[in-house]
Amino acid sequence: MTAPVLTEPPVRVRVPAKINLGLAVGPIGADGYHPLTTVFQAVSLYDEIVASRVEPGEFTLSMSGEGSEHLPVDDTNLAIRAAKLLLQRAGDPLFDGVHLTIRKGIPVAGGMAGGSADAAGALLACSVLWDTDTTPDDLRELGAELGADVPFCLMGGTAVGVRRGDQLTPALSRGTYHWVLAIAEEGLSTPAVYRRFDEMAEAGEITPSADLDDTLLTALAAGDPHRLGPLLRNDLAEPAFALRPALRTVLEAGLAHGAVGGLVSGSGPTVALLAADETSAVDLSTALSGEGVCRTVRRVAGPVPGARLMS
Ligand code: C5P
């Protein structure tokens, strides 16, 4: 690995995880993707990405944090792919190279857009390091080429996503929501969950539809967790339960301990439980930890901004 050129300060970025508060999934399309309507919320669990300039044409990566040992650090890593895509479209191959350091706080393969967060962070950090002429819209467009959740990781807040989930419109959300995340011992593969979704659809066990009604957005705008709780919906929950039956127990335990709602996050296996307020979230996280139904429990709040430079 080449040592970073020390004359130029590294660029630090932090990027939040996401929860899908609503996820309506339609039938698989010819492109192999499923049309979606989803409501994203960015929550206060972060990956940190540091970009340091190295020799032109060099792209290296080191990672730390729980689960990071399972991730590749070569060209197949989404963060390296993001840096290379930015270089191709907006950088200068004669001058640009990067060493990325990623500290993972977002669970790996947890349904919280950890990989997409790193791609978003790499895009933003490299655009600053290399001083590329890219607007936030440009970065979001590049992000969509890398993964469906990358544009939202850049944007943050609360937003409705359609198509693959990458066409975003900001949504009104009042106040702060307090979540308790039950993080599983082992991740779930997103393509495997979608495959199971297709099998269940073929067997007539579920009817795919990308329609999500407005009640969820109305509740979000009202800022009332008691109203929002029962409206949380994830069409990938059944396939995730089919692949990992223990997740149902986690969700039931959370509801039994006072959560006002809960759902599998994205393609799972993280379960997100909505608390009535911050005090209830503390009680809920203590009770859930005591149950021993998951690897670890984290308390987070949302919405929070998307990828941001750190001072
Ligand atoms: O775009 P991303 O890399 O996040 O997607 C991972 C996988 O999840 C895709 O290869 C595809 O199998 C599945 N997927 C899907 N429909 C979507 C988003 C993802 O089938 N809307």
Side-chain angles (χ1 to χ4, degrees):
M1 190 188 305
T2 309
V5 177
L6 294 174
T7 49
E8 197 168 354
V11 178
R12 294 169 187 280
V13 168
R14 76 172 191 177
V15 191
K18 61 84 186 167
I19 300 176
N20 303 82
L21 309 183
L23 179 54
V25 182
I28 189 166
D31 60 357
Y33 275 78
H34 298 72
L36 306 176
T37 304
T38 187
V39 180
F40 288 110
Q41 184 168 96
V43 295
S44 58
L45 188 65
Y46 300 94
D47 277 4
E48 285 176 19
I49 295 94
V50 181
S52 314
R53 199 183 273 277
V54 289
E55 293 297 319
E58 280 206 18
F59 293 84
T60 51
L61 170 65
S62 53
M63 293 187 110
S64 63
E66 202 147 2
S68 63
E69 66 278 9
H70 302 304
L71 297 172
V73 290
D74 60 13
D75 283 10
T76 61
N77 189 292
L78 209 53
I80 293 283
R81 285 175 48 205
K84 288 192 161 178
L85 183 66
L86 180 70
L87 175 73
Q88 217 176 54
R89 302 290 171 80
D92 185 341
L94 287 180
F95 291 102
D96 297 337
V98 71
H99 176 68
L100 295 170
T101 309
I102 297 179
R103 191 145 64 99
K104 293 219 61 81
I106 306 175
V108 171
M112 301 195 73
S116 298
D118 298 345
L123 284 175
L124 178 60
C126 291
S127 72
V128 174
L129 184 75
W130 298 336
D131 196 19
T132 59
D133 198 12
T134 31
T135 64
D137 278 351
D138 295 336
L139 289 183
R140 281 204 285 272
E141 269 178 39
L142 288 177
E145 291 184 37
L146 294 157
D149 293 335
V150 182
F152 179 72
C153 291
L154 287 162
M155 182 175 173
T158 306
V160 178
V162 295
R163 220 178 60 169
R164 293 179 177 185
D166 55 334
Q167 294 273 299
L168 298 170
T169 313
L172 182 65
S173 174
R174 189 162 285 127
T176 296
Y177 292 90
H178 298 276
W179 298 93
V180 173
L181 305 175
I183 297 170
E185 201 67 57
E186 214 183 309
L188 265 178
S189 143
T190 302
V193 174
Y194 274 106
R195 266 199 306 278
R196 190 57 180 247
F197 176 89
D198 295 338
E199 286 163 13
M200 293 175 96
E202 221 166 276
E205 292 165 40
I206 49 176
T207 310
S209 163
D211 292 338
L212 191 66
D213 71 53
D214 288 347
T215 50
L216 186 76
L217 290 174
T218 314
L220 267 173
D224 180 359
H226 292 278
R227 238 172 101 180
L228 181 64
L231 299 171
L232 299 170
R233 163 186 165 187
N234 181 0
D235 290 356
L236 294 180
E238 287 304 323
F241 289 147
L243 292 171
R244 191 72 65 78
L247 292 183
R248 221 185 271 278
T249 315
V250 179
L251 186 56
E252 279 162 11
L255 295 172
H257 285 298
V260 297
L263 82 177
V264 172
S265 175
S267 56
T270 305
V271 172
L273 296 152
L274 179 60
D277 51 37
E278 195 170 0
T279 313
S280 314
V282 173
D283 294 344
L284 175 57
S285 76
T286 309
L288 205 59
S289 298
E291 290 272 326
V293 289
C294 55
R295 175 168 65 78
T296 184
V297 171
R298 293 293 305 268
R299 209 154 47 76
V300 298
V304 296
R308 287 290 179 277
L309 290 170
M310 294 162 73
S311 47

